[in-house]
Each structure stands twice: as C-alpha cells, then as structure tokens.
Amino acid sequence: ELKVEQNPLFLSMQEGKNYTIYCNYSTTSDRLYWYRQDPGKSLESLFVLLSNGAVKQEGRLMASLDTKARLSTLHITAAVHDLSATYFCAVDGSGWTGTASKLTFGTGTRLQVTL
Amino acid sequence: SAVISQKPSRDICQRGTSLTIQCQVDSQVTMMFWYRQQPGQSLTLIATANQGSEATYESGFVIDKFPISRPNLTFSTLTVSNMSPEDSSIYLCSVEARLLTGGSEQFFGPGTRLTVL
C-alpha cells in the first residue's frame, strides 16, 4: 500500500523567510503532484513532476523530485502573506503505464505566513 | 486543461437520507475519480468511474454506500446513501486531462460540502 508522508504538518513563518516542505512516499512512482488549497476552496494544481531530478519553479515556489530517495520538496523563497494556504503532495500510485492516475495524498502542510 | 463543475456546492442533510452529487466536465474523459476530504484532513480516493463499466472502489468504500453512475464521457454522479454525521465531508470529483504541452495532469472540481445532522 502506497503511503505518502508530509512534514511539517503546520508551518508558521515570517514574511521574507525561506522554508522547505518535504514529501516522502513508500513505493516507486514517477509522477508526483503538488497542490494548493485555500480554506473552503478546491485544489489548485501547482506542479507536476514526472522524472527523477525534475525541478520546476513558479514565482516563489520551487518543487523537485528525487525518485531514488522517494522524496519531493517544495521550497518557498522569501515568503509573502498570499502564500498562506494548505499544500498537498500527491503521488500517482497507478504505475506509469499510461492509465489514468490514482492519487494518494499526503497529510498536507498548513502554511501560515505572518507579517 | 479541464473545467469541472459540481452540484450541489453544499448541502445540509438529515441522518438516514441520501444525497446525489453531480460532476460535469467540459471535455470527454475516460476516467473520473471521486475523493472525500473529511474536516481538517487530506483527500482519500473513494472510487474510479469508467464509462460503460462498474466503478472500482478503494479499500474501505463499498458500492452500497457510495453508488456511482457514469452514463457518458462528460458526466458522473456519486450518491452518499443512508447518511450519518461521519459522512460530513467535502466530496470532490477529478479527471485526468491531456495537456497541449504533452503529458497529463489531474484537475479537481470545486467540491461539494456535505453536512449531516
């Protein structure tokens, strides 16, 4: 059974600081997603990481994937208040066979950026 | 990308009743997925709905409790049957859509917030 763990569960950080959220998963997978969820809203796709060593950046967020270590990171640079949300990683457990994705989600990291 | 709508957006229901949630996609997709997000928790996959065949349920979820229909390639329903307060959750449908740049991505609907009294 695929297990996905995120840490930390909760992160309070000041504006302008840097921090990293970690996502570990238990079985081989070559596709990993990062999502953002604002309170009372649905999920917004941030990144799709498809291969070992993949790195993607959008604004102050950068995501990377190490399939050998079964680890993905979401790095926040110079945080701003607008980044306050819950961030989920999700791993495709269906196998990279071309079939549609069955995602197993991490526990989520609630990020609070304070002034 | 894919644009997904769900109805209702929220509902408050009495114990023992059933609620059917609708999910509509703006393009044809092979598979649709139903997830549950309990209060303050992460998302858990309930089932995968393939057009023209029975839905495939994940461990801990059964058809009698969560019957699913998939009549065509753009629409699906999830029914939450004989509800109890433990069924209070957000229910989300999702689809995998091909991207113009290649590859695919999974998109989520806005969710249905269910409260059972």
Side-chain angles (χ1 to χ4, degrees):
Chain A
E1 180 189 350
L2 173 58
K3 293 189 185 301
V4 182
E5 294 182 352
Q6 267 181 255
N7 68 83
L9 297 181
F10 178 73
L11 176 57
S12 179
M13 56 191 300
Q14 288 183 314
E15 277 201 335
K17 299 292 187 182
N18 304 332
Y19 209 83
T20 300
I21 299 171
Y22 296 89
C23 174
N24 289 90
Y25 54 97
S26 61
T27 63
T28 301
S29 175
D30 289 328
R31 186 152 52 166
L32 186 142
Y33 296 78
W34 282 97
Y35 290 93
R36 167 180 173 148
Q37 186 178 40
D38 291 291
K41 301 293 177 97
S42 188
L43 279 75
E44 174 192 352
S45 177
L46 296 174
F47 301 108
V48 183
L49 302 170
L50 297 177
S51 60
N52 187 38
V55 177
K56 290 194 174 181
Q57 183 164 5
E58 181 75 32
R60 300 174 188 275
L61 301 178
M62 183 173 72
S64 66
L65 177 63
D66 181 344
T67 59
K68 293 179 181 177
R70 297 177 187 167
L71 170 69
S72 180
T73 61
L74 181 66
H75 187 73
I76 303 154
T77 302
V80 293
H81 181 68
D82 286 351
L83 289 179
S84 297
T86 299
Y87 293 84
F88 291 97
C89 65
V91 178
D92 179 1
S94 61
W96 188 227
T97 61
T99 59
S101 308
K102 288 174 47 172
L103 299 184
T104 299
F105 279 78
T107 48
T109 296
R110 189 158 77 90
L111 172 66
Q112 183 177 62
V113 181
T114 57
L115 299 173
Chain B
S1 65
V3 178
I4 305 170
S5 60
Q6 285 185 234
K7 290 182 182 179
S9 59
R10 58 176 61 222
D11 206 342
I12 301 173
C13 301
Q14 296 296 321
R15 182 195 300 260
T17 62
S18 298
L19 175 71
T20 295
I21 302 168
Q22 300 178 5
C23 178
Q24 180 78 50
V25 189
D26 69 342
S27 57
Q28 294 184 338
V29 293
T30 303
M31 290 188 180
M32 297 175 76
F33 304 89
W34 287 98
Y35 288 84
R36 179 176 74 181
Q37 186 176 27
Q38 294 176 299
Q41 303 294 315
S42 186
L43 282 78
T44 302
L45 179 64
I46 298 172
T48 302
N50 192 9
Q51 194 265 335
S53 64
E54 292 283 331
T56 302
Y57 290 82
E58 297 301 305
S59 176
F61 298 96
V62 295
I63 187 171
D64 290 345
K65 176 67 176 178
F66 297 102
I68 288 171
S69 78
R70 183 78 202 277
N72 58 54
L73 291 173
T74 63
F75 187 78
S76 178
T77 67
L78 170 76
T79 299
V80 187
S81 303
N82 187 24
M83 288 184 284
S84 67
E86 292 71 35
D87 293 320
S88 298
S89 297
I90 300 173
Y91 293 85
L92 302 104
C93 70
S94 76
V95 304
E96 184 177 12
R98 298 290 170 189
L99 302 176
L100 294 176
T101 53
S104 63
E105 193 170 324
Q106 192 156 119
F107 297 91
F108 284 81
T112 296
R113 184 180 293 271
L114 171 62
T115 302
V116 184
L117 303 177

